[in-house]
Amino acid sequence: MSQIQVRDLSVEYKRLGSTTGLLALDDFKLDVDSGEFVTIVGPSGCGKSTMLKTVAGLQAPTSGEVRINGIHVTGPGPDRAMVFQDFGLLPWRTVRANIRMGVEFRRRVRGPDVAQRIAEFIRIVGLEGFENHYPHQLSGGMQQRVGLARALIANPEIMLMDEPFGALDAQTREVMANELLQIWETNRKTVLFITHGIDECIYLADRIVVMSARPGRIKEIVKVDLERPRGLYIRSTPQFAIYRDHVWGLLEEEVRRSLRAGL
């Protein structure tokens, strides 16, 4: 049995002053195995974030269901953690205190183990020496590392990542993608990762879910047969270029359809 099972998922939002709703997702089906890294790419407004929030238990489906390890999702749970694009750090908390939030809310770790685990994850994300800095004293990439450590410290089975590098410059984004892969190679969490970047989605993924314009449906699932562990060099290989052309070929029509419809 797959770890994540999304079955016939549809999500429709009510619109103020209208008798008709906005159908964000329609008949979405997806299975994700434990330890898989799955990226999701599609035109703006196609329901990518809606799907992720439904898996997280933050959005109720209009129809269909999500199951985690066979259990019907009815709300958030300690088996899942989300990492957002906007970092979500508390400005009055230091790096150490922001990471501590990952265990404060879930109460997964108590006593002296907390300080040890925080130090461990500060080391894992490369923020040693910045433990007592506040968010405004950090670069965007460093802030995103804090958000990643905060999610990881609670030891969730599943990481749900909604364009976590979208606010970063191109160079920092490539470095962060590489660091994320190194962390994933160590702990092999199940990852659902939303991105608009074609190169990023290929570089990270075991499989790529290409979505249609709204209402979001799966257009194709592309299996990425590139060696692991991966380094940035792989982006210059002929095989990578073949994947890039194929994914863009799938996306181009959907992006144009989305623009024509004003989605």
XYZ file of all heavy atoms in Angstrom, residues 128-206:
628
model
N 25.426 26.740 12.071
C 26.241 26.859 13.271
C 26.893 28.240 13.307
O 27.401 28.734 12.297
C 27.313 25.771 13.295
C 26.738 24.383 13.558
C 27.790 23.294 13.427
O 28.385 23.179 12.337
O 28.012 22.573 14.412
N 26.842 28.872 14.492
C 27.348 30.227 14.643
C 26.268 31.282 14.518
O 26.506 32.461 14.819
N 25.075 30.877 14.070
C 23.964 31.819 13.898
C 22.799 31.502 14.842
O 21.696 32.016 14.669
C 23.466 31.788 12.453
C 24.477 32.290 11.461
C 25.375 31.411 10.854
C 24.546 33.636 11.139
C 26.310 31.867 9.950
C 25.482 34.103 10.228
C 26.372 33.220 9.632
N 23.044 30.692 15.857
C 21.986 30.207 16.735
C 21.206 31.346 17.391
O 19.996 31.233 17.617
C 22.562 29.306 17.825
C 23.158 28.003 17.325
C 24.638 28.133 16.964
O 25.108 29.266 16.737
O 25.330 27.091 16.921
N 21.881 32.445 17.707
C 21.241 33.538 18.442
C 20.900 34.731 17.561
O 20.558 35.801 18.067
C 22.164 33.984 19.594
C 22.376 32.865 20.606
O 21.430 32.191 21.015
N 23.621 32.638 21.002
N 20.971 34.534 16.248
C 20.577 35.593 15.334
C 19.057 35.599 15.173
O 18.394 34.567 15.286
C 21.227 35.382 13.964
C 22.657 35.778 13.910
N 23.618 35.226 14.733
C 23.310 36.689 13.120
C 24.794 35.765 14.455
N 24.635 36.642 13.491
N 18.524 36.789 14.862
C 17.098 36.936 14.594
C 16.867 36.923 13.079
O 17.801 37.174 12.299
C 16.585 38.241 15.211
C 16.558 38.203 16.717
C 17.671 38.602 17.460
C 15.434 37.734 17.400
C 17.658 38.545 18.852
C 15.411 37.680 18.789
C 16.530 38.072 19.499
O 16.514 38.003 20.869
N 15.625 36.633 12.640
C 15.378 36.515 11.198
C 15.866 37.703 10.371
O 16.390 37.515 9.266
C 13.849 36.362 11.132
C 13.510 35.638 12.400
C 14.444 36.222 13.423
N 15.720 38.929 10.886
C 16.126 40.095 10.094
C 17.639 40.167 9.902
O 18.126 40.922 9.049
C 15.618 41.388 10.739
C 16.370 41.809 11.976
N 16.038 41.342 13.234
C 17.441 42.637 12.132
C 16.870 41.869 14.125
N 17.731 42.651 13.483
N 18.373 39.374 10.675
C 19.827 39.346 10.549
C 20.305 38.246 9.586
O 21.507 38.071 9.406
C 20.460 39.118 11.931
C 20.165 40.245 12.928
C 20.660 39.912 14.325
O 20.303 38.861 14.876
N 21.484 40.790 14.880
N 19.371 37.523 8.993
C 19.696 36.392 8.123
C 19.337 36.695 6.673
O 18.396 37.448 6.396
C 18.931 35.142 8.568
C 19.072 34.707 10.029
C 18.142 33.537 10.302
C 20.513 34.346 10.350
N 20.057 36.078 5.755
C 19.684 36.144 4.341
C 18.446 35.287 4.097
O 18.042 34.478 4.954
C 20.837 35.637 3.474
O 21.020 34.234 3.674
N 17.853 35.439 2.899
C 16.678 34.639 2.581
C 16.965 33.153 2.616
O 16.164 32.361 3.120
N 18.123 32.753 2.087
C 18.479 31.341 2.105
C 18.641 30.801 3.506
O 18.233 29.667 3.806
N 19.216 31.609 4.389
C 19.396 31.181 5.776
C 18.050 31.075 6.488
O 17.818 30.143 7.265
C 20.334 32.147 6.502
C 21.751 32.134 5.953
S 22.761 33.496 6.556
C 23.168 32.896 8.200
N 17.149 32.006 6.204
C 15.811 31.924 6.799
C 15.100 30.650 6.354
O 14.426 29.994 7.154
C 14.993 33.157 6.412
C 15.472 34.446 7.057
C 14.581 35.623 6.691
O 13.362 35.541 6.793
N 15.196 36.709 6.261
N 15.257 30.298 5.077
C 14.606 29.086 4.595
C 15.212 27.850 5.245
O 14.506 26.859 5.500
C 14.708 28.998 3.074
C 13.831 27.927 2.458
C 12.365 28.083 2.820
O 11.932 27.630 3.885
N 11.606 28.738 1.978
N 16.507 27.875 5.555
C 17.126 26.762 6.263
C 16.529 26.607 7.660
O 16.357 25.485 8.137
C 18.628 26.972 6.370
C 19.367 26.912 5.064
C 20.844 27.091 5.289
N 21.536 27.410 4.052
C 22.850 27.501 3.958
N 23.604 27.302 5.021
N 23.421 27.794 2.809
N 16.232 27.732 8.303
C 15.594 27.669 9.624
C 14.224 26.999 9.506
O 13.861 26.132 10.304
C 15.450 29.072 10.244
C 14.717 28.993 11.590
C 16.815 29.723 10.435
N 13.446 27.400 8.472
C 12.130 26.791 8.262
C 12.229 25.300 7.994
O 11.396 24.516 8.471
N 13.254 24.900 7.254
C 13.456 23.480 6.963
C 13.814 22.713 8.233
O 13.269 21.633 8.499
C 14.556 23.328 5.913
C 14.882 21.919 5.443
C 13.665 21.243 4.840
C 16.026 21.957 4.430
N 14.713 23.278 9.046
C 15.099 22.621 10.301
C 13.912 22.518 11.254
O 13.743 21.508 11.941
C 16.236 23.396 10.962
N 13.082 23.552 11.286
C 11.897 23.535 12.154
C 10.947 22.409 11.766
O 10.336 21.762 12.624
C 11.181 24.888 12.073
C 9.959 25.013 12.970
C 9.320 26.380 12.823
N 8.929 26.642 11.441
C 8.583 27.850 10.994
N 8.606 28.887 11.796
N 8.223 28.007 9.743
N 10.821 22.157 10.454
C 9.960 21.061 10.002
C 10.589 19.707 10.296
O 9.916 18.772 10.733
C 9.681 21.215 8.512
N 11.880 19.587 10.072
C 12.564 18.296 10.226
C 12.681 17.852 11.674
O 12.664 16.652 11.967
C 13.968 18.376 9.614
C 14.066 18.369 8.091
C 15.471 18.741 7.663
C 13.671 17.009 7.540
N 12.806 18.799 12.613
C 13.092 18.424 13.994
C 11.955 17.631 14.624
O 12.172 16.834 15.541
C 13.413 19.680 14.845
C 14.085 19.261 16.160
C 12.170 20.517 15.086
C 14.622 20.419 16.967
N 10.741 17.819 14.117
C 9.605 17.060 14.651
C 9.558 15.636 14.104
O 8.694 14.855 14.486
C 8.296 17.778 14.339
N 10.494 15.314 13.206
C 10.619 13.967 12.643
C 9.317 13.476 11.998
O 8.842 12.369 12.276
C 11.067 12.970 13.728
C 11.585 11.679 13.112
O 12.101 11.672 12.001
N 11.438 10.586 13.832
N 8.753 14.280 11.086
C 7.543 13.828 10.390
C 7.893 12.741 9.377
O 9.032 12.646 8.915
C 7.064 15.101 9.674
C 8.342 15.834 9.392
C 9.235 15.565 10.576
N 6.919 11.946 9.025
C 7.121 10.945 7.976
C 7.112 11.597 6.590
O 7.757 11.110 5.671
C 6.017 9.885 8.034
C 5.978 9.068 9.313
C 4.812 8.096 9.320
O 4.387 7.692 8.218
O 4.330 7.748 10.394
N 6.349 12.702 6.477
C 6.097 13.316 5.173
C 6.400 14.803 5.246
O 5.937 15.498 6.160
C 4.631 13.097 4.754
C 4.330 11.599 4.615
C 4.316 13.839 3.457
C 2.851 11.279 4.532
N 7.165 15.291 4.255
C 7.449 16.717 4.121
C 6.642 17.268 2.947
O 6.739 16.756 1.818
C 8.942 16.940 3.879
C 9.846 16.491 5.008
S 9.820 17.616 6.415
C 10.638 19.043 5.721
N 5.858 18.301 3.209
C 5.046 18.947 2.190
C 5.621 20.337 1.969
O 5.577 21.187 2.857
C 3.582 19.016 2.643
C 2.963 17.667 3.041
C 1.606 17.873 3.697
C 2.843 16.750 1.825
N 6.157 20.589 0.777
C 6.936 21.793 0.526
C 6.302 22.592 -0.612
O 6.241 22.128 -1.753
C 8.389 21.427 0.214
C 8.991 20.482 1.249
S 10.756 20.130 1.028
C 11.463 21.621 1.704
N 5.804 23.786 -0.271
C 5.071 24.616 -1.221
C 5.964 25.746 -1.730
O 6.081 26.791 -1.114
C 3.820 25.188 -0.555
C 2.858 25.807 -1.558
O 3.208 25.865 -2.753
O 1.762 26.232 -1.155
N 6.618 25.511 -2.857
C 7.547 26.473 -3.454
C 8.509 27.056 -2.408
O 8.613 28.281 -2.272
C 6.783 27.596 -4.151
C 5.995 27.142 -5.367
C 5.436 28.310 -6.155
O 6.222 28.997 -6.815
O 4.221 28.517 -6.077
N 9.200 26.211 -1.652
C 9.993 26.721 -0.541
C 11.155 27.604 -0.961
O 11.643 28.397 -0.155
C 10.518 25.438 0.125
C 10.526 24.428 -0.969
C 9.327 24.756 -1.807
N 11.601 27.509 -2.227
C 12.722 28.324 -2.679
C 12.280 29.438 -3.626
O 13.104 30.102 -4.247
C 13.764 27.444 -3.388
C 14.213 26.258 -2.571
C 14.554 25.059 -3.190
C 14.281 26.314 -1.182
C 14.973 23.965 -2.454
C 14.684 25.218 -0.439
C 15.027 24.041 -1.070
N 10.969 29.643 -3.735
C 10.437 30.593 -4.712
C 10.847 32.029 -4.473
O 10.913 32.822 -5.419
N 11.124 32.407 -3.224
C 11.473 33.791 -2.915
C 12.977 34.046 -2.958
O 13.421 35.157 -2.680
C 10.931 34.157 -1.529
N 13.764 33.031 -3.316
C 15.223 33.151 -3.290
C 15.759 33.516 -4.672
O 15.138 33.238 -5.687
C 15.844 31.831 -2.832
C 15.356 31.273 -1.492
C 16.046 29.950 -1.194
C 15.576 32.267 -0.360
N 16.945 34.124 -4.691
C 17.589 34.406 -5.972
C 18.049 33.098 -6.604
O 18.141 32.057 -5.944
C 18.764 35.362 -5.783
C 19.869 34.769 -4.926
O 20.665 33.977 -5.448
O 19.912 35.071 -3.710
N 18.351 33.154 -7.903
C 18.612 31.939 -8.673
C 19.788 31.140 -8.121
O 19.733 29.907 -8.047
C 18.870 32.297 -10.136
N 20.863 31.841 -7.732
C 22.040 31.123 -7.244
C 21.767 30.433 -5.911
O 22.117 29.258 -5.711
C 23.231 32.081 -7.109
C 23.751 32.634 -8.417
C 23.006 33.900 -8.855
O 22.034 34.307 -8.219
N 23.462 34.501 -9.942
N 21.121 31.176 -4.998
C 20.798 30.600 -3.684
C 19.830 29.439 -3.835
O 19.919 28.428 -3.133
C 20.191 31.674 -2.766
O 21.098 32.775 -2.661
C 19.917 31.115 -1.378
N 18.931 29.563 -4.793
C 17.943 28.512 -5.035
C 18.628 27.206 -5.437
O 18.262 26.131 -4.960
C 16.995 28.989 -6.126
C 15.815 28.088 -6.387
C 14.834 28.774 -7.301
N 13.662 27.966 -7.519
C 12.455 28.456 -7.741
N 12.276 29.748 -7.775
N 11.427 27.650 -7.937
N 19.642 27.297 -6.300
C 20.350 26.091 -6.723
C 21.099 25.463 -5.549
O 21.111 24.235 -5.389
C 21.323 26.425 -7.861
C 20.630 26.705 -9.176
C 21.538 26.468 -10.367
O 22.696 26.049 -10.170
O 21.074 26.688 -11.503
N 21.722 26.286 -4.733
C 22.452 25.780 -3.569
C 21.492 25.100 -2.603
O 21.765 24.011 -2.082
C 23.226 26.914 -2.872
C 23.786 26.447 -1.534
C 24.351 27.415 -3.766
N 20.340 25.729 -2.361
C 19.374 25.162 -1.417
C 18.810 23.845 -1.937
O 18.589 22.909 -1.166
C 18.237 26.159 -1.165
C 18.621 27.332 -0.276
S 19.132 26.822 1.386
C 17.654 26.013 1.972
N 18.566 23.745 -3.245
C 18.071 22.490 -3.809
C 19.088 21.373 -3.592
O 18.727 20.240 -3.249
C 17.768 22.664 -5.296
N 20.346 21.690 -3.787
C 21.404 20.697 -3.587
C 21.491 20.279 -2.124
O 21.642 19.089 -1.808
C 22.739 21.271 -4.066
C 23.806 20.199 -4.198
O 23.574 19.158 -4.794
N 24.971 20.452 -3.632
N 21.378 21.246 -1.212
C 21.437 20.928 0.211
C 20.225 20.107 0.647
O 20.345 19.194 1.468
C 21.545 22.211 1.031
C 22.885 22.913 0.842
C 23.032 24.136 1.719
O 22.061 24.508 2.401
O 24.133 24.721 1.719
N 19.064 20.439 0.082
C 17.865 19.663 0.406
C 18.045 18.211 -0.010
O 17.684 17.290 0.736
C 16.644 20.269 -0.287
C 15.340 19.466 -0.155
C 14.922 19.335 1.306
C 14.226 20.119 -0.974
N 18.608 17.991 -1.186
C 18.833 16.616 -1.636
C 19.784 15.872 -0.702
O 19.582 14.689 -0.420
C 19.398 16.602 -3.055
C 18.412 16.570 -4.211
C 19.125 16.292 -5.523
C 17.305 15.536 -4.001
N 20.816 16.556 -0.230
C 21.753 15.908 0.684
C 21.067 15.502 1.978
O 21.306 14.411 2.515
C 22.933 16.843 0.963
C 23.841 17.056 -0.236
C 24.983 18.004 0.060
O 25.430 18.125 1.186
N 25.471 18.696 -0.962
N 20.215 16.377 2.500
C 19.462 16.050 3.715
C 18.515 14.889 3.448
O 18.405 13.949 4.249
C 18.683 17.288 4.214
C 19.663 18.377 4.691
C 17.714 16.912 5.334
C 19.005 19.708 4.961
N 17.830 14.927 2.302
C 16.881 13.863 1.957
C 17.594 12.524 1.789
O 17.076 11.484 2.193
C 16.141 14.242 0.682
C 15.199 13.182 0.192
C 13.934 12.915 0.647
C 15.451 12.235 -0.849
N 13.386 11.867 -0.052
C 14.296 11.431 -0.975
C 16.533 12.001 -1.690
C 14.205 10.403 -1.916
C 16.449 10.978 -2.620
C 15.291 10.193 -2.728
N 18.779 12.532 1.198
C 19.538 11.290 1.031
C 19.841 10.652 2.384
O 19.937 9.425 2.502
C 20.852 11.565 0.287
C 20.701 11.907 -1.179
C 20.410 10.698 -2.048
O 20.362 9.572 -1.510
O 20.207 10.886 -3.256
N 19.976 11.486 3.427
C 20.307 10.988 4.764
C 19.106 10.362 5.452
O 19.202 9.298 6.068
C 20.859 12.129 5.637
O 22.043 12.651 5.011
C 21.209 11.635 7.033
N 17.927 11.030 5.359
C 16.780 10.543 6.150
C 15.653 9.944 5.307
O 14.760 9.300 5.845
C 16.229 11.662 7.050
C 15.784 12.885 6.278
O 15.148 12.777 5.227
N 16.099 14.072 6.789
N 15.672 10.187 3.982
C 14.689 9.604 3.063
C 13.241 9.786 3.520
O 12.439 8.845 3.512
C 14.977 8.125 2.838
C 16.253 7.872 2.040
C 16.059 8.201 0.568
N 17.312 8.099 -0.179
C 17.392 7.723 -1.452
N 16.307 7.425 -2.117
N 18.552 7.665 -2.066
N 12.915 11.010 3.919
C 11.517 11.327 4.168
C 10.741 11.283 2.848
O 11.304 11.470 1.767
C 11.382 12.728 4.767
C 12.130 12.949 6.072
C 11.501 12.203 7.206
C 12.206 12.530 8.527
N 11.694 11.685 9.630
N 9.461 11.060 2.933
C 8.601 11.206 1.764
C 8.393 12.695 1.532
O 8.066 13.431 2.464
C 7.247 10.519 1.995
O 7.480 9.154 2.374
C 6.386 10.569 0.744
N 8.594 13.156 0.293
C 8.501 14.586 -0.004
C 7.542 14.826 -1.164
O 7.638 14.179 -2.206
C 9.887 15.183 -0.355
C 9.755 16.664 -0.697
C 10.873 15.003 0.793
N 6.613 15.766 -0.953
C 5.826 16.355 -2.038
C 6.285 17.803 -2.152
O 6.186 18.564 -1.184
C 4.328 16.300 -1.741
C 3.614 14.968 -1.920
C 2.137 15.107 -1.571
C 3.760 14.456 -3.337
N 6.793 18.179 -3.318
C 7.484 19.456 -3.492
C 6.885 20.203 -4.682
O 6.981 19.738 -5.822
C 8.973 19.178 -3.713
C 9.863 20.390 -3.779
C 10.672 20.730 -2.711
C 9.932 21.164 -4.936
C 11.523 21.830 -2.776
C 10.765 22.269 -5.010
C 11.567 22.600 -3.928
N 6.276 21.351 -4.422
C 5.703 22.181 -5.486
C 6.744 23.173 -5.974
O 7.443 23.806 -5.181
C 4.461 22.936 -4.977
C 3.305 21.964 -4.738
C 4.032 24.011 -5.976
C 2.091 22.622 -4.132
N 6.838 23.325 -7.289
C 7.760 24.292 -7.868
C 7.232 24.764 -9.213
O 6.430 24.082 -9.850
C 9.167 23.679 -8.045
O 10.030 24.651 -8.642
C 9.137 22.447 -8.923
N 7.690 25.957 -9.633
C 7.444 26.419 -10.998
C 8.668 26.187 -11.877
O 8.611 26.413 -13.083
C 7.092 27.916 -10.998
C 5.652 28.193 -10.700
N 5.225 28.685 -9.484
C 4.538 28.014 -11.444
C 3.906 28.815 -9.501
N 3.464 28.416 -10.679
N 9.773 25.767 -11.268
C 11.014 25.613 -12.001
C 11.148 24.235 -12.621
O 11.164 23.221 -11.914
N 11.261 24.175 -13.941
C 11.358 22.886 -14.625
C 12.664 22.183 -14.262
O 12.674 20.992 -13.940
C 11.226 23.068 -16.151
C 9.819 23.552 -16.495
C 11.516 21.750 -16.872
C 9.612 23.863 -17.962
N 13.782 22.904 -14.294
C 15.049 22.281 -13.931
C 15.020 21.776 -12.495
O 15.511 20.682 -12.200
C 16.204 23.284 -14.093
C 16.654 23.416 -15.543
O 15.874 23.037 -16.446
O 17.773 23.899 -15.776
N 14.443 22.568 -11.611
C 14.373 22.190 -10.199
C 13.537 20.927 -10.018
O 13.920 20.016 -9.263
C 13.771 23.341 -9.393
C 13.809 23.167 -7.897
C 13.406 24.449 -7.197
O 12.193 24.759 -7.134
O 14.306 25.181 -6.727
N 12.417 20.852 -10.704
C 11.536 19.692 -10.530
C 12.196 18.418 -11.036
O 12.021 17.346 -10.459
C 10.165 19.927 -11.171
S 10.087 19.704 -12.949
N 13.005 18.521 -12.105
C 13.702 17.340 -12.628
C 14.834 16.951 -11.696
O 15.019 15.770 -11.363
C 14.251 17.618 -14.041
C 13.114 17.948 -15.011
C 15.061 16.425 -14.551
C 13.583 18.558 -16.321
N 15.614 17.932 -11.275
C 16.802 17.688 -10.464
C 16.473 16.973 -9.151
O 17.194 16.085 -8.702
C 17.482 19.026 -10.177
C 18.710 18.928 -9.302
C 19.835 18.213 -9.713
C 18.750 19.565 -8.063
C 20.961 18.129 -8.910
C 19.875 19.484 -7.264
C 20.980 18.772 -7.688
O 22.090 18.684 -6.894
N 15.340 17.326 -8.552
C 15.002 16.792 -7.235
C 14.284 15.450 -7.288
O 14.437 14.627 -6.382
C 14.109 17.789 -6.489
C 14.735 19.134 -6.109
C 13.655 20.081 -5.586
C 15.825 18.946 -5.052
N 13.534 15.183 -8.341
C 12.456 14.198 -8.266
C 12.835 12.772 -8.609
O 13.701 12.499 -9.422
C 11.317 14.638 -9.178
N 12.096 11.851 -7.969
C 11.957 10.489 -8.470
C 10.880 10.455 -9.548
O 10.996 9.748 -10.543
C 11.558 9.537 -7.343
C 12.648 9.372 -6.307
O 13.808 9.186 -6.686
O 12.331 9.435 -5.096
